[in-house]
Amino acid sequence: MSVGSLLILPGDGIGPEVMAEVRRIIDWYGEKRDLSFDVSEDLVGGAAYDKHGTPLADETMEKAQEVDAVLLGAVGGPKYDDLDFSVKPERGLLRLRKEMDLFANLRPAQCFDALADFSSLKKDVIAGLDIMIVRELTSGIYFGEPRGIFEEGNERVGVNTQRYTESEIDRVARSAFELAMKRGKKLCSMEKANVMESGILWREVVTEVAKDYPEVELSHMYADAGGMQLARWPKQFDVIVTDNLFGDLLSDVAAMLTGSLGMLPSASLGTPMANERPKALYEPVHGSAPDIAGQGKANPIACILSFAMALRYSFDLGDEADRLEAAIETVLAEGKRTADLLGEEGVTPVTTTEMGDAILAALDASL
Ligand code: IPM
Ligand code: MG
């Protein structure tokens, strides 16, 4: 049975290696579960720049608009540091987000039982942690105008603009409330209404949207205090909704609480999930890790979990997503560790491919 179409963009650094493992998982679903995906592959980031002189070719952008889901590895690397800002690898990713209008970025921070010792926080603070950050992804200071570096008198001034319309806040808030309804029915909204007008409006709109979700317990926090609370007692949170820049920072903090950046997936969705299939892009939270690229050391789990999110949110295959996540839990419980997860004594790391092998074996065992 064909489930739908998938565009794979491995990107740079460890992207291609971790994506190779995802492809094996996709093949497994075709062979063993009769769920086949119409997969195409293309370039993004530095890899696209090398071939086309741009981090995202127009053709690739068009393909991304047509498929049911895009799966991206990672972009960037030191080789591209000196490129002009407009063609940096990151611009390829930002163009995808903006033109696909992927305004809701879901970043789960979940602590796997077998890895609770990896956190820099005490085990009881972190064990069982399961929070979801919903980051606004297509507006705010990342895209606001005016922006640029301008001459002013006898010096230059760097300008970026934080800007949010009511409808932009409304739609991301709704996505977060919908998610909270499916989870623990708790939502914390973070901004800086104490110093920013955009924060005042954010708080007002979120409070207004809350009226449509009376079952969800809504709280507000200044984003700096939110960062502090995340480090102090993260389990107080269920879903967090915040703007693009605060979400960038807070999701890195939340990710590292779990001790393993190589484990965390993300989904960027275009329309509220209660409605029809949203445009969607799935990617690991980690970057391209150029220092270990090409050495078989990378952890493919974040990218594989991103595919699990695609199964859940784009293809309505929640049971199969559960199966894949359970297979990963099994493999971790067996003690399999890639190099990023070392720390326990006497454990030899497995390679990227060996981790893939182990997950495929656990999937076989699940049948
Ligand atoms: C992220 C990254 C990106 C961002 C970069 C690579 C453009 O940090 O996805 O969190 O700042 O959004
Ligand atoms: Mg980031």
Side-chain angles (χ1 to χ4, degrees):
M1 189 183 82
S2 171
V3 219
S5 52
L6 205 53
L7 172 63
I8 291 192
L9 303 173
D12 308 321
I14 60 169
E17 292 161 68
V18 295
M19 201 59 90
E21 300 312 310
V22 177
R23 298 244 15 190
R24 294 167 73 206
I25 306 278
I26 294 174
D27 291 344
W28 184 91
Y29 275 97
E31 280 162 32
K32 304 286 172 75
R33 302 296 301 151
D34 191 27
L35 298 169
S36 58
F37 297 84
D38 175 11
V39 181
S40 50
E41 197 169 309
D42 211 332
L43 303 172
V44 69
Y49 177 81
D50 288 340
K51 177 138 185 242
H52 304 297
T54 165
L56 188 78
D58 291 342
E59 255 173 50
T60 316
M61 188 64 240
E62 277 165 33
K63 262 193 244 170
Q65 296 284 18
E66 282 158 16
V67 292
D68 295 313
V70 178
L71 200 57
L72 186 138
V75 294
K79 186 179 159 194
Y80 308 105
D81 279 353
D82 296 330
L83 285 185
D84 186 72
F85 184 73
S86 64
V87 290
K88 277 198 188 298
E90 290 78 5
R91 302 310 300 174
L93 178 57
L94 292 170
R95 179 174 177 200
L96 280 164
R97 291 174 178 173
K98 187 70 179 170
E99 292 191 21
M100 291 171 77
D101 202 21
L102 304 171
F103 63 87
N105 180 215
L106 278 45
R107 300 194 161 184
Q110 207 184 340
C111 181
F112 287 79
D113 283 347
L115 302 181
D117 283 326
F118 285 89
S119 176
S120 53
L121 298 187
K122 294 194 184 78
K123 197 168 173 173
D124 69 310
V125 176
I126 215 71
L129 180 74
D130 179 9
I131 60 186
M132 177 72 89
I133 297 192
V134 180
R135 166 188 177 195
E136 199 291 325
L137 202 60
T138 51
S139 184
I141 202 161
Y142 270 56
F143 296 99
E145 300 283 347
R147 66 181 298 165
I149 300 174
F150 306 108
E151 300 284 338
E152 203 176 271
N154 56 2
E155 61 175 355
R156 291 176 307 157
V157 51
V159 178
N160 291 90
T161 302
Q162 166 83 335
R163 182 178 189 280
Y164 271 107
T165 64
E166 288 182 284
S167 52
E168 286 169 338
I169 303 168
D170 181 280
R171 64 182 186 170
V172 73
R174 275 180 207 283
S175 299
F177 276 105
E178 291 289 338
L179 259 176
M181 284 298 289
K182 292 186 192 144
R183 297 173 43 105
K185 300 199 168 139
K186 257 172 69 176
L187 177 64
C188 182
S189 169
M190 297 186 186
E191 28 54 17
K192 278 186 65 80
N194 51 345
V195 287
M196 296 163 78
E197 284 79 0
S198 60
I200 296 176
L201 187 67
W202 183 281
R203 191 175 283 220
E204 275 177 25
V205 174
V206 172
T207 305
E208 194 57 34
V209 174
K211 293 183 184 153
D212 292 338
Y213 299 89
E215 282 175 61
V216 177
E217 180 196 317
L218 171 68
S219 59
H220 303 274
M221 237 179 233
Y222 297 139
D224 53 344
M228 192 251 295
Q229 291 298 335
L230 268 173
R232 189 185 71 85
W233 188 245
K235 283 190 258 182
Q236 69 187 283
F237 299 111
D238 175 23
V239 181
I240 293 172
V241 63
T242 188
D243 76 12
N244 203 343
L245 182 60
F246 293 142
D248 184 38
L249 306 179
L250 293 170
S251 66
D252 264 25
V253 173
M256 207 54 215
L257 294 177
T258 70
S260 38
L261 206 50
M263 302 286 303
L264 296 170
S266 78
S268 305
L269 304 176
T271 46
M273 276 161 304
N275 300 355
E276 90 280 25
R277 187 180 277 187
K279 263 196 195 148
L281 179 142
Y282 300 87
E283 57 178 319
V285 169
H286 64 66
S288 60
D291 52 322
I292 59 160
Q295 301 169 34
K297 285 186 185 166
N299 184 349
I301 292 180
C303 203
I304 295 173
L305 285 173
S306 300
F307 174 63
M309 288 187 93
L311 291 174
R312 178 169 290 119
Y313 295 117
S314 284
F315 300 109
D316 279 330
L317 293 169
D319 290 349
E320 297 298 341
D322 288 346
R323 178 197 300 280
L324 183 49
E325 287 162 1
I328 288 168
E329 295 235 25
T330 305
V331 166
L332 293 172
E334 282 166 358
K336 297 269 183 332
R337 304 281 183 261
T338 39
D340 56 312
L341 299 177
L342 288 187
E344 295 138 306
E345 268 176 53
V347 180
T348 344
V350 300
T351 64
T352 311
T353 317
E354 284 164 349
M355 184 57 99
D357 292 341
I359 295 169
L360 286 169
L363 280 173
D364 277 335
S366 77
L367 294 175

